[in-house]
Every structure is written in structure tokens, then in C-alpha cells.
Amino acid sequence: MARITGGILVLLGLILAAAGGWLAALGGSLYYVAAGLALLAVGGLLLRGSPAALWLHAVLLVASLWWAVWEVGVDWWPLAARLDLLFLLGLWLITPWVRRSLQQADGGARTWGAGLAPARAVLSLALAVSAALAVLSWFRAPHELAGRLESRPAADAVPETAAPVPPGEWHAYGRTGEGQRHSPLAQITPANANQLRLAWEFRTGDRRGRPGDPEETTYEVTPLKIGNRLFLCTPHQSVIALDATTGRQLWRFDPQIAGDLALQHLTCRGLSYQPPRAVPAPSPAPTAGEGRAEPATERPPLPVAASQGATDPACRSRLFMPTADGRLIALNPDSGAVCTDFGNGTGQIDLWQHMPNVRPGAYYSTSPPVVTERLLIVGGTVLDNASVKEQSGVIRAFDIDSGALVWNWDSGNPDDTAPLPPGRTYTANSPNSWSVSSVDEALGMVYVPMGNQPPDQWGGHRSPAVERYASSVVALDLASGRVRWHFQTVHHDLWDYDVPAQPTLLDMEVGGRRVPALVQPTKQGELFVLDRRDGTPLLPVSEQPAPQGAAAGDHTAPTQPASALSFAPPPLRERDMWGATLLDQLACRIAFRQLRYEGRFTPPSERGSIVYPGNFGVFNWGGIAVDPARGWAFTTPTYLAFVSRLVARRDDISLLVQEGGPPKGSLPALNENFGAPYAASMKPFMSPIGLPCQAPPWGYVAGVDLRTGQVAWKHRNGTVRDLSPLPLPFRMGVPGIGGPMVTAGGVAFYSGALDNYVRAYDMASGRVLWRDRLPAGGQATPMTYSGEDGRQYVLVVAGGHGSTGTKPGDAIRAYALPARR
């Protein structure tokens, strides 16, 4: 057995020394060369039957232990990646099977008495020291920040500024148009949250995996609650009404989506709600700056939407549903009937009106539109990185009663907001807004989070107008659609750092005065806190030097904005590379040295560049949740590095077959960038066995005092139970996508971590109060409401997310405290 083990160690030592030499030649650590040579020697001694192999392995283990602590401190997961293989080999070398082999190889008892026993004792001591250090590391949490958010005195409480919503209801994606994701309900508290139980569950019957579904088929809906009804949409675009107290289905609407769509995403984040009107308003005649809803002229007639064929010519209130084939449908919340007093008698608006490059499925609104007293404001998503001839990112405002177009703001032609006349189209390929916008009707502004112009990773052809508004939050005048102010979060974005999250609006005490504020989370980890009247920063913003050297024909911005309140991670170092073993960690180190990386905003390159944070985002569409009375924010930062590699195109039209093979269906392979000089490959920075190359944690929850800009606490969130081959409950801190929700009771809820749990947290400290296992991935933002029985319910959608690979499902779950008897 000693000789077999020796042969394996010789092979392992050769691999480690050779790969370590490669790393050293790239300017990396010399440890792996030394460790490989030492293992080679240990293997040679075992082949000779010499007990000195155990002595040498003990020296190697202790030296490796010292090196590991020097690199990463007493931090369990980085230590494990460096020491696990050597530790397990050491355990094997002191087993009776190896001992007997060494005895037989060198004369039996003589060898045992003269050298084997001391060698085993020394190696055992080295193993004991390693184990003790491992145990010590279990009780340390170097990535945690313990603390508490301090409550604001009640006299200083800041009231909600949006139009009133009944406390037990949820009328918009973020409950109100302010996007706070905060409920005034306080029945559930840190003292009783652990008593939450499943009250009811409803299965929609809509799961991803149907023929033609794109990979990014996601269940991201946050339902609305109006009266005693819940309203939600499904990934395949059905609309469902449920009894909020029992979960019983009341009606279901099928919009009859057209087939053969060029879909990159199949998503519905939610519906929008127009409150009742006293008398249905007639369609107004167009005035200066207004237009009429026109019949479609650029594509075939719209499909007929149907809910058992029901229509209603006089809806007092409405739900608005955006569809994947580019329509916006008005429904009666009472019956699911199509409201034919909207959209010239059709009950729907054709969002392809005046759109260039018509390709059904390539443009639609994945997020619910903004509803104001008079307007319905709609953005949309376009295909990412397919070509330079995509649709427009125009933002349009329609009359909420008639569906007539009132104004349009196109970032490619920003000064002309009057409705386009027949025959004209919006600017092709202008930056779009695919996320949720916020609104302040008192100030007369809608706040729009903007993306950039495709392709994401090359911007040599971008116009000055496109450059100005890309990756910005833009405040548009409600009356005219003109820009009141804008704030750019990334200059000349080459990293897919579009502004992904709904701006959060609240009033804050700043310098002893109450200020209307806007908090904008970004993919790069900034929380920009701005005066929403004019975009002036309320917390300091500085311009930081950025790496230079873009691809041929492109350029990089000399500086990039950074907020004083930031979750941006520190730059990666070689020692931050990780893996399950010494070998795949070494592979990640070699990849790190081979790729271009000069810190955040390293430009994409043909060599391949590390993008960190990656375009998955520190924050994404789920945004943050705030308690406006206390001035607290509950956040869910995620950290994953990506690799961006440019591939020179032969011409403007030829398909480059890359990872994933040829195109499937009607959609070209992602990142082909037809018409640009480069295609682009974007993928997570992973080890050869599919683990992130950067060390954990990868996901946190964190509490912020927005008044001071201080992070009060930050804790790892989530386990690898659903991310590893075995259901291991290790709390490593896993990535998440989807948003949090907070309540006046001081409890926050979040289900977006990739381990299929919903959790309740004490908002003051971040302590987990309760959790429940979900039947599928919970990558949607929870909401809360009051039932007819007087109980506060917490609702979670568990349907999974195709891009993250979480388990698909169709569950709508409501939790509540036990009913009083």
C-alpha cells in the first residue's frame, strides 16, 4: 500500500510542480512549486519504504499551514481549500495499512522501533495542530459585521410621501410608486416571527421547461393585493386572481401570446393597478404635444386577448399586464374581463407602434408600468448583445383612461418628446429601461433606471446622446416627458452595469432638514443617495481613476463615480482564489494571472478580462427595502466575478459558433453582436469543477442607516444545500437575486438566496428569526398584507430562475401567525 500511495503522490507532485511552475512563470506564488517537489519527495520515499516520508509530509503540512495563515488568516473556507488535500493524505499515511507496508518494506519490527513510530507521532502532531486551527476557524467570522441599527425617536418619524394605500394592501411592485418595499403592518415582530406557519399554498400550473422556453425563463413576480384579492402574472403571461385569505382562485386570464417569438427572457415581474374612478372618463381629444392610439401598421394584427371571452366597456378600475409579444392589456380586477374602454376599443396598446427593427419577442416590458393619476408610463427590454440593430429603448407615457400616446422620451433623440407622426420610428438601439421606475407625483417626476446601448462590451459607435443617458437614473417631467435631471452611475459602460433596480424614494433628515431623497442601488455595489428634486448627491460622490486601454476603436472613461455608501468589494488578489482542493485553487490562480485584471472597471479584452463585481450585480432588479420612518435600509449584496472576452468578428453577419453551439430557434447565439467588430463571451469566473474561483462568502444581508451612510451590520446569508452535489447545510453565504421586503414590525423577509429558503430577519441586527423550506427557488420579492381574518400574511413566490439554475416550480405560498382561538 505504501508503494501504491507513493506512486500516486509522485504523480500528484509532478502535476503540482509543473502547474506551480506555470503559475510562477506568470508572476504568481512559488508555494505550489515547492509543495509539488515536496510531494514528489514524499512519494519517492514511500516507494522506497522509508518512514522519512512521514517526517517530510509533516514538515510540508506545517509549512503549508504557516503559508495558508499568512495568506488568508484564520478563515475556514480559504484554509480548507489550501490544506484539505494535504491533511487527508496525512491521515492516510498514519493508517495501519500504510504502517504495515512500511514495516514490511524495511524489515518489520526493526523499522517500527527505530523510525516509524516517531515519524507517525510527528505527523500525528502536525495533523492535530491543523485540526485545532480548523476548529478555531469555525468560531471566527472575519467577514461578518456585528452591530445594531439604532432606532430614530418617534417624534422624528418620516411619513410616507406617496398617495395613501390602505395599510393591509399592496398596490404596486414596491407597494407604492416610491419603491420602498415597506409595509406599515406590525403584527409580525422579532418576538413572534418564529411562530410563522404556512397558511395556504396555491399552484399556478405554470412551470418553465415548455418547448421554446428560453434559458432565462424566470418567476420574478411580486403580486398586488387590492381589497381581499391578490393579482399576479406567471412566466408564460397568464394573469391570476386569488382570494387573499384562502388562496382560492377567482379567475384566470390568458392573453393568447403569439408564437415563434425571438425571446431572450420570459419574465413577468408584476402587474400595475389603476384605482377606481367615479365615472369612466371619455377618451380626450389630442391637444398640443398629444397623440391618439393608432392601429398597428408595422406588424400583423394583434392576437385577441381572452378571459372566457369576457369584455367590459366601462371598467372603474384596471389592471395593466405587459405581454411578451409587445402588448399592454387592461383588465377588470373584478372579473378578469378585457377593458374595451381602453386602447381604441381593443383593451390593449400595441407597444410595437413606431418601433424600428420589428422582431416579435425581441422587445417587451418585463416590468410593470408606472401608474399615475393621468398617465401610464412604460419602458421595455431589448435583446442583449445580439446585434447593433435592436429596437429602441424609448420611454412612453399613455393616457391612462384612453391609451392615447401623450409623450415619448427616446434617449437617442432626447429633446423631441412629442408623439411621433405616422411613418416615423424611434431611434434604433438606444439605451432601454427594463427595470421598474418610481414616481413622485407631487414633484411631477418619474425616475427611470437606464441600461446602455447594445453591445454591452464595446461602445465605439455610441452617440453623444446615448453616452449621456446610458447607465443613469433619469428624472423625466410627468407633464412633458422632458429630462429634469439625470445622474450617471457608470461612464461609458463596457461591463453591462446597467442600472438594474427600481429607485427607492423616501424623505430623510439631512443636516437638520427634511429632504426628498432617492436611493439608487447599482450592479457595481454603490448606493447613490440623491436629492430627488435635482439629482444632487446627499451622501458624497467622488470620481475615482479607472483602468484604461479599451479594445481597438473604443475608449474608456478616465474616472468612474463612487458613493460614500458603497458595497463595492475590494479588488481581487491571487490569494483570494478558491477551490474545493489545492489543485482547482491552483487552476484558478493560473487563470487569474492569465486574464487581464486591474481592479474594478478593467476594460473587456480579447485576452479576457475579469469583471468584478460581475454583471450579475452586487444589486440587481430586486433592489433594496427601506423603513422610511427609521431611515433604515435592508440590503442583499452579492459578489460573483465574471470573465468578459472579446472575439474579433470576421464580418458583420457571419455566425461565430462559441460556447453552447449554434443558435437555437429564432434567437441568435447570445453575445454575437452582429454589426459590431467584436462578439463577446460573458461567463462566471469558475474553477474546473464548477465552483466560483473567488473565495466565499458570495452573498450577504446588510443593514444600513441611510441618515449617516453607515453599514451597521453585515452577515453571510444562505447555505450551499441546493448548490452542491450533496445537501450540505454549510452557511457559506450564497448569491441571491430578487428583492427584500420590510415591515413596521421591525422584521425583514427575503427568499432570493439560491438555497430555496424564505427567511425572516430582525431588521435592527440582521439575526435570522425564522426560515422555511420552499418547494422551488424563491427568486422573487416577497410582499405582505392583511387578510379578512385580521391576520398579517407574508406571501412568497417559489418558481425558480432559469439563469441561476434554481429548482423550477409554480408555488404561491402565504405564511401567517397561528389564528387566535
Side-chain angles (χ1 to χ4, degrees), residues 57 113 260 267 297 316 467 481 563 668 739:
H57 193 80
D260 298 323
T267 298
T297 56
R316 292 192 61 238
E467 288 282 65
S563 174

Side-chain angles (χ1 to χ4, degrees), residues 3 257 606 670 680:
R3 287 192 172 89
I257 300 299
E606 291 186 76
L670 298 187

Side-chain angles (χ1 to χ4, degrees), residues 525-820:
E526 310 297 337
L527 290 179
F528 291 106
V529 183
L530 311 174
D531 187 322
R532 68 175 181 270
R533 295 170 296 188
D534 57 15
T536 303
L538 296 176
L539 293 179
V541 174
S542 59
E543 290 286 337
Q544 301 295 319
Q548 299 298 292
D554 204 351
H555 68 279
T556 51
T559 63
Q560 294 290 352
S563 174
L565 176 53
S566 177
F567 285 93
L572 291 172
R573 304 161 299 175
E574 183 193 316
R575 66 181 58 185
D576 296 319
M577 297 301 100
W578 192 68
T581 68
L582 197 65
L583 294 176
D584 55 312
Q585 188 212 47
L586 173 56
C588 285
R589 285 183 181 245
I590 291 171
F592 178 81
R593 289 290 181 177
Q594 288 180 309
L595 294 166
R596 181 180 178 185
Y597 182 65
E598 299 156 34
R600 194 159 60 138
F601 301 111
T602 300
S605 62
E606 291 186 76
R607 167 184 168 188
S609 298
I610 295 175
V611 180
Y612 185 61
N615 63 336
F616 190 84
V618 176
F619 301 110
N620 208 297
W621 53 265
I624 63 173
V626 302
D627 184 324
R630 298 180 174 101
W632 296 351
F634 186 92
T635 70
T636 58
T638 286
Y639 300 99
L640 281 177
F642 274 62
V643 175
S644 174
R645 190 185 308 275
L646 298 178
V647 181
R649 296 194 56 82
R650 297 184 295 274
D651 53 47
D652 288 351
I653 59 174
S654 298
L655 177 70
L656 297 179
V657 179
Q658 301 177 61
E659 297 89 348
K664 298 178 181 179
S666 57
L667 183 66
L670 298 187
N671 301 335
E672 283 285 350
N673 297 343
F674 294 114
Y678 296 96
S681 169
M682 284 290 294
K683 57 185 179 182
F685 185 26
M686 306 290 274
S687 77
I689 62 172
L691 293 175
C693 268
Q694 78 204 66
W698 305 297
Y700 295 86
V701 291
V704 176
D705 188 328
L706 292 171
R707 298 164 297 168
T708 63
Q710 298 299 310
V711 179
W713 53 261
K714 184 178 178 183
H715 304 306
R716 293 167 295 162
N717 187 62
T719 71
V720 295
R721 172 171 176 166
D722 295 297
L723 299 176
S724 59
L726 298 175
L728 303 173
F730 299 145
R731 189 173 73 93
M732 298 175 70
V734 299
I737 193 168
M741 177 269 292
V742 300
T743 69
V747 181
F749 294 89
Y750 179 56
S751 62
L754 305 188
D755 64 348
N756 300 354
Y757 281 98
V758 56
R759 293 177 173 88
Y761 309 81
D762 182 340
M763 194 172 178
S765 66
R767 178 172 60 93
V768 175
L769 304 169
W770 164 88
R771 71 174 189 174
D772 190 55
R773 183 81 173 150
L774 296 174
Q779 285 70 58
T781 303
M783 51 84 73
T784 187
Y785 61 90
S786 294
E788 286 189 321
D789 56 3
R791 291 194 292 171
Q792 179 183 352
Y793 289 80
V794 174
L795 189 138
V796 181
V797 173
H801 195 288
S803 297
T804 61
T806 51
K807 182 180 177 181
D810 63 343
I812 313 296
R813 286 192 155 197
Y815 297 89
L817 298 174
R820 296 178 181 177

